[in-house]
């Protein structure tokens, strides 16, 4: 029933309740299917054993590989291989992977043409460094997220605080790396003492 459903119905990106409760044997059977839509059902599970996760990441179908790109447990060489084989179809998932290294994130951020969804994921990634975050400033949505990232260079934070984009200015003003001197300049003047 589940395999027929996968082939003919749009199921979204979240795991289906039936696949969430499937046994390891059932998940392995789904992952071994000849139908990429069925393999994708297995790929959406976040608790895949390492061997199965690697096998699905090596899948020739970009949608299957993309479904596991954001899963923790994929090593940097596997993430780079995913990006090389499937390009823009999986880049946003790789950028959202909690195990993506700072170097990989910087490389993904410099891709041309840029992958906007990837820039948004990189802007909020804990491993993002200054070079990656600076590349995110070119995208209006990613800029808002990057403005609040503590790894953003102070010069960029200061420029965003005083810039015309109010959402980015607000996020930059809340950035814990905002220099104290800039914070003080942003405060309204103290009220005059009562006479």
């Amino acid at each position: 029933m589940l395999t027929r459903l996968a082939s003919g119905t749009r199921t979204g990106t979240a795991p289906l309740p039936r696949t969430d409760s499937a046994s390891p044997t059932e998940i392995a059977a789904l992952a071994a299917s000849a139908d990429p839509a069925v393999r994708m059902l297995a790929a959406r599970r976040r608790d895949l054993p390492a061997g199965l996760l690697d096998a699905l990441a090596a899948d020739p179908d970009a949608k299957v590989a993309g479904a596991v790109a954001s899963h923790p447990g994929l090593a940097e060489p596997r993430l780079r291989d995913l990006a090389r084989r499937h390009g823009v179809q999986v880049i946003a998932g790789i950028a959202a992977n909690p195990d993506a290294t700072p170097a990989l994130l910087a490389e993904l951020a410099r891709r041309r043409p840029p992958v906007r969804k990837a820039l948004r994921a990189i802007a909020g990634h804990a491993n993002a460094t200054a070079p990656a975050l600076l590349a995110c400033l070119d995208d209006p949505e990613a800029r808002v997220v990057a403005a609040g990232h503590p790894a953003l260079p102070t010069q960029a934070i200061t420029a965003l605080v005083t810039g015309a984009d109010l959402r980015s200015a607000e996020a930059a003003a809340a950035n814990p790396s905002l220099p104290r001197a800039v914070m003080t300049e942003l405060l309204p003047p103290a009220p005059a003492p009562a006479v």
Side-chain angles (χ1 to χ4, degrees):
M1 166 72 172
L2 195 55
T3 56
R4 284 194 318 266
L5 174 72
S7 296
T9 308
R10 289 183 178 233
T11 58
T13 57
L16 298 174
R18 177 60 187 105
T19 56
D20 252 358
S21 63
S23 71
T25 304
E26 291 171 315
I27 291 297
L30 291 173
S33 172
D35 185 348
V38 175
R39 293 194 307 273
M40 212 160 72
L41 291 175
R44 291 182 186 147
R45 288 271 302 247
R46 300 295 283 185
D47 61 348
L48 295 169
L52 195 52
L53 179 63
D54 279 340
L56 290 167
D59 198 283
D61 188 275
K63 289 183 179 180
V64 175
V68 296
S70 65
H71 285 35
L74 291 172
E76 182 176 7
R78 175 65 71 194
L79 294 172
R80 287 183 180 281
D81 180 58
L82 271 169
R84 182 189 54 73
R85 286 186 299 115
H86 299 295
V88 296
Q89 294 176 289
V90 299
I91 296 297
I94 294 169
N97 189 303
D99 296 329
T101 63
L104 179 58
L105 293 171
E107 188 177 305
L108 296 176
R110 289 190 304 266
R111 280 185 78 95
R112 295 294 171 243
V115 179
R116 294 174 55 125
K117 283 179 81 173
L119 292 175
R120 292 176 197 143
I122 294 166
H125 201 291
N127 293 339
T129 56
L133 293 168
L134 290 170
C136 292
L137 297 180
D138 292 335
D139 178 78
E141 295 301 317
R143 181 185 316 120
V144 175
V145 180
H149 199 294
L152 188 66
T154 54
Q155 305 91 316
I157 298 169
T158 303
L160 289 168
V161 164
T162 59
D165 179 3
L166 295 179
R167 290 178 40 216
S168 296
E170 185 177 282
N175 190 316
S177 297
L178 181 67
R180 183 177 294 271
V182 177
M183 282 185 221
T184 305
E185 289 174 20
L186 293 173
L187 294 173
V195 184

